[in-house]
Amino acid sequence: GPFVSDESSDESPGVEVVDRSAASDEAKAAAARRVMAVPLLHARLSPAGTGDDDAGDDARLPLVTATIRATTSQSLGDSPSPGDAADVWTLDNLLGLCTGWRAKGGGVVVAEARRRLSKFAARVGRDSFAKAAASLVSMTVSSSSDELEVVRRLGATSCVEETWFALALAGSDAAGVDPSEEGVRAVAGLYWRLLKDDLGGVGKRGGGGDSGRVGERGGGGERGGGITPSDVGTRRLASLGAVAFAPGLAKSLWRSLAASLPASETLPMAVEGPGAGVGAWTSPALLNGLNDVSDEDLAALGLFSLAYAHLLLVLDDDEFFVAQRPFTLGEQRGIAACVNTLVVRTHLGSCEDKNKNNRKQPPDPERMTAVRAAVALLKALQTRDARSAFAPPGLWLAPARGSKPPPVAAAASALAAHLGTLRGDSPPGDHSPDASRVGAGLLVDCPHALTFDYRVEVFRQLVRDDRARAGYRPQAGGVDASSDADLGQRVRPVADVYVRRGSVLEDAAAQILPLGPAARGRLAVRYRNASGLEEAGIDAGGLFKELLADVCHAGLDPNRGAFACTASADNHVYPAAAAGDSPEGLLLLELVGMIVGKGLYEGILQEVRLAPFFAKAVLGIPRTLDDLPGLDPALHRSLIQVLRYEGDAADLCLDWTVSEEHLGAVTTHELRPDGASKPVTNESKLAYAHAVADFHLNRRRHDSNAAFTRGLAHIIPRGWLGLFGVNELSQLIGGVDDGDVDVDDLRRHAAYGGGYAADSRAVVMFWDVLKREFTANERRALLKFVTSSSRPPVQGFRHLHPPFTIHKVRRDDAERGAASSLATFFGYGGDTARLPSASTCFNVLKLPNYRKSSTMREKVRYAVTSGAGFELS
């Protein structure tokens, strides 16, 4: 019969009535294309209503079928033809005829639209319907944005942004009905085609900039080479939300994908036994990474990764760990093992090909887009695990076990080239053209797969390469100074810094801040006492380390107002939001950031513990509602109560504003335009809770965070820090969490001088007192007394240069007295009263030859806790 009835033609000018004699399929297809290109045809044929319209649906079915056949007859693998208005309206009419949906509330209600779509999809085939819609989506990519906006505003195209559409297409046409396998694959095909064309260029570029993050440079997510919702345009973000928030759809996608790859759908939390180990934590079907993913699974993999990464942004820890929605913790581990294996093995395979000089065809862009989506999900899961572990630690390392990582020098060169961190004062082209193709992807997308020690070595190599390009020599007192015969003492400084002990911050700000990136060179420090005279210390590294400690101690003091401490016992620090409101506060934040960066550059540990939510800001990781307890636990509890409130949210009398009190003044900030007049409802309370968290974690402290990271970036490109996670960054800056000194490790790598040896009686007594009778705080004080830093080196005392040295101090004649030698010979002479001293420039403890353990304990304890300067050195 005709595609359009005679009655409808009277009301639809320009609609062509196709004669029954149109016998050939080509003629029918051509006629269908002309008919479906009429703007808003579906609105004329489907007047708004809520009743069953089975007869009308039957009349429209031939037109829908012909359109689908005409659209899918061309190869979906071919590049789409240039889009025009006809393609846009064909897509809109196809969706409108099958749903009756109209934008902004027009058309049938949701339940009726869901029923109609499910019926049409079942009759013409869900896969065929999805392929036709996907093909039309590709054809509309090059259409004008104005044309698309008209369609979205007036037509039915916006229905793909609704959760009911995704569920109906998947075959879940009623609550509690699980989607069919065919339906899940149809959803994957349509929505992946809808999203991937927008994401095809995401994350491909390197680049420099202050951020040094892949996503911030190339639009590929805030961290690494993955894709985040910020990479999806506003128009497509709603479509992504339709899949992410459709009840049960993400779970169905994962089950379908796990069965097809195949991959373990769920894994136990075991660290040993049958369900643990490299074999269990690595997906066997993905050992070749992307090459093991079939074309049929590519869309499901890409869509699931992108949709679940999007859902994780709003999924709070209670839902994830307690309610375990939408996945059990066992399923979360299965997902983590799958995407971790996929990403890591993809990059390992690429590295092996480079090492073997194998030249392969460039990977398909669609496949690389799917990998970047998997990277986004992998990083989202890792961020969750870093906050509260749900997976065994070995799971993240498993896919790279047994594989040899790239040489440190090659990896560092590749990462520098990939991130574009060659500085402006470096000669252009001062690196191998092949550097960017040696292991950079592994370090950017999945650094967690490599051991922490290896990544620290890569970081140190980045520093050495950067210093060499800039023409600087190692800073005396830094870990790289040991390679110089004079330990860096004769290196010409880029600046002489004179510091008064009572004005450390003022002097440091005046002399160090103006240096900018030049502060990477050696700073020669001179301290002046209260009288204005230079102290006796000579800066061979010790005074420099003293300056770092003094600036951090003074600058991080909460009483100054630039930094605040978390409410927990950890006393983690973060920039105060109000510090960003004044020029003085911004300068102080920038100075502290610069000093922390200088300590990282020289490998000197500092007593700085960044709050996790602030460390995320430094690393470019998104901060969400679950990070709020670190800043304001009471506010977080209040927001969770709002989310869990079962009554009408309007009863809580909340609006879209937040109030802030500072120095007695209350300031109100709007979360949305005209937010004071907009109440929070049950439908908007989730968005409200996240908007409040976003304000306190991001918007309000943007300026203060930016000042600190700006100072840090003068010394350390932020891309380098992407090698480490949140907890690892704190370890890199300040050592291990407990901060205690490993006495056995220190003893193994100690040196002796002045007549002492490892088995000398005083030396053995010293180690025994230090290990058994000193507290952890006293051991840290001793380490600071000798080295100017209370923190052990990140990788142990084998990396302390110069080594911790115990030098013998002999009793002089004035101290011994006339009969001292004879008394000592017979065993009744007194012990020495001299205190230990130290030469922090060379990490030397000058230890008198004490005879009694009690004297050793008292004298050493007094010396390390007295807080004396360099006057008596």
Side-chain angles (χ1 to χ4, degrees), residues 804-830:
F804 185 94
T805 302
I806 303 177
H807 186 85
K808 186 175 185 179
V809 177
R810 300 179 184 276
R811 298 173 65 187
D812 56 30
D813 291 338
E815 184 184 12
R816 286 196 297 264
S820 178
S821 297
L822 188 60
T824 301
F825 178 79
F826 287 104
Y828 57 85

Side-chain angles (χ1 to χ4, degrees), residues 290-291 346 354 360-368 371:
L290 183 66
N291 294 332
T346 295
K354 303 297 185 299
K360 289 190 174 183
Q361 292 294 327
D364 178 65
E366 180 178 355
R367 285 181 164 267
M368 293 313 300
V371 171

Side-chain angles (χ1 to χ4, degrees), residues 508-534:
Q511 299 174 70
I512 297 178
L513 267 181
L515 295 175
R520 290 173 292 152
R522 184 193 172 194
L523 304 179
V525 179
R526 302 288 188 272
Y527 269 93
R528 288 174 175 163
N529 59 22
S531 302
L533 301 176
E534 287 190 22

Side-chain angles (χ1 to χ4, degrees), residues 169-195:
L169 180 57
S172 178
D173 55 356
V177 177
D178 291 333
S180 65
E181 174 65 18
E182 180 193 16
V184 168
R185 293 292 169 151
V187 168
L190 171 60
Y191 281 90
W192 179 242
R193 179 62 68 96
L194 189 68
L195 294 166

